[in-house]
Amino acid sequence: MKNAEKYQRNYFMPQNPTFDWVKKEYITKPPVWCSVDLRDGNQALIEPMSLDQKLEFFDMLVKIGFKEIEVGFPAASDTEYEFMRTLIEKNMIPDDVTVQVLTQAREHIIKRTFEAVKGAPRAVIHLYNSTSVAQREQVFKKEKPEIKQLAIDGAKLLKELADKTSGNFAFEYSPESFTGTEPEYALEVCNAVLDVWKPTKANKAIINLPATVELSLPHVWATQVEFMDKNMKYRDGVTLSIHPHNDRGTGVALTELGILAGADRVEGTLFGNGERTGNVDIITVALNMYSHGVEPNLDFTDIPKIRAKYEALTGMNVPPREPYAGDLVFTAFSGSHQDAIAKGFSYREEHKDGKWTVPYLPIDPKDIGRSYEGDVIRINSQSGKGGVSFILKTNYGIEIPKVMQADFSYTVKEVSDHEHAELSPARLLQIFKDRYTSREDVFSIPEAHFKQTDGILATVTINHNSARTEVKANGNGRLDSVNNAIKQYFNISYELSTYEEHALTQGSTSKAETFVGITAQGRRFWGVGVDDDIIKASIAALVSAVNQIPEIAGTAEKDARLTEMMNYIQENYATITLDELSEKMFLSKPYISRYIKNQSGLTFGENVRKIRMKKAKSMLKNSNMKIEKIADAVGYQNTEHFNRLFKQEFGVTPVQYRNENGD
């Protein structure tokens, strides 16, 4: 970089600045928090959230304690519009929560916005237009009076339409690109808008100052905010809000100094998601206050749960060193740090007033659902689950699921203890492969073919000892049908409890990596599969996991005659009868009955019912078919009889199961 001279400072200090904010040592009370995750955060996603995802996210924000939530730009898209209407028409807005919608200062957009918020119990209409020098001169090519008139006209239209539209509305105005606007001109425009609305202490308006692009050091921003705070008209009737971004990486500092400078309200997102480099992290600002003994009035007592839902709904990942929420923030990286933290924990427990005094940790991790994890990066017998997993991810692109990390950590510790040495990343990778991938200790599955019926019928080739056997089994998906084939062949019981899949983040991007966790007799076993084909990778992972179950070691090859019988039952489970099977196998019914009972432990009828019930369970969960149709599809013409059998098998009626487990 040799062209620094091409850049210049594009911000403006007030002509008559004051610096009273400098005299304040800390924040004494929380601001009004407004989440913009569903608007500013959503529009920056590669895949914006769907309606259902936004509804789930909204519910999470309400539970956290947000009283103001910007839900979208309803004039911008049908999803945003439908989301607003759904919240209103389904009465989903709690009595103490106000929703907020964004609109440009353009007539047709404002009118469409009011169509969206019609009937809202409490809604803020957030009006904006850009006021910066760059936007005025280079984009709009308008003079200051023209830009100000756009804001005035928009404010008037908001007031006019609010009087004509059913609902309860408040107003907000943002001089967009405030950071690139002369403070005196930004104040002039804001005051002109306020002259239209004439807010009072009992009926406040919001003036919001967006750091649309972060252009200055935080102290300059604080001085700009303080200028607005001290010179704005109707100040008792105005909630002064800030909307920091993070282009220069100081979004949290902007927010904290902005509050010291007079801001009453903060707009931001949970983890800093948003345009370009993101909005301010509300979690960080709130917990910074908490670390100084100030209650932020937001409930972050279970950060891991909030983070997991956030990542699932947005597709974003919280970085490992994200303050308070990252995987590695409550860890130490040397023995001295670890000792200091351990002593701090001990001291806190013994301290009479229970004050938090631990070195290196700003807050007690237990308060936010976290725990101190110790020395996690040195790869030796003392390494923790976060560290060894972090090494695999950074060096080889392998993202081990969180629920699997402890198992891998224990494996690494055993090897390190045995070898009395620290382990290189390459050695760590070899341990991972030996433990979880391509495990064929007892059996392998070289082939699997699938047929679409009401679900999936799999024909699975199992190589076990010297035998090669084809096993057929039904399932609600390909992996589920293979899983059922394995259970049927070995006559074992286990639960497929975890499944995750990722594209390898390094190396061949076409390869998929799957992780399968199974639970058998109270123990968890893990398998990993890697292949260009996601189904093959999934089967390989399942095979690796099942091969670790001790109970299957030493089992004899499956009886060929029983396999043939069970395959035929699987193919014809809905209509099969003992007469039909007897004719198919050229064996008497009494002989077949005894044979199946002796070999499988279940009678013919019990085997059939087990298959039918499992199929019905899947259809109840994954389809909208009526109960009587499902009963008929799995072989029961009498729905009442089906209901009784289902309850005997699972302890609930089909209707109860669907209500509890349906989509």
Side-chain angles (χ1 to χ4, degrees), residues 516-531:
V516 166
I518 63 173
T519 303
Q521 297 185 354
R523 295 180 58 189
R524 182 73 66 88
F525 302 93
W526 291 94
V528 179
V530 179
D531 200 277

Side-chain angles (χ1 to χ4, degrees), residues 445-490:
I445 295 181
E447 292 182 62
H449 302 282
F450 306 96
K451 179 181 179 182
Q452 184 79 42
T453 55
D454 290 332
I456 297 292
L457 176 67
T459 301
V460 180
T461 301
I462 296 179
N463 285 352
H464 176 217
N465 295 339
S466 59
R468 181 183 179 92
T469 306
E470 280 193 355
V471 181
K472 296 186 178 182
N474 284 279
N476 59 359
R478 287 171 170 78
L479 186 61
D480 185 52
S481 59
V482 173
N483 190 42
N484 291 334
I486 295 171
K487 289 181 178 180
Q488 179 180 311
Y489 179 87
F490 286 102

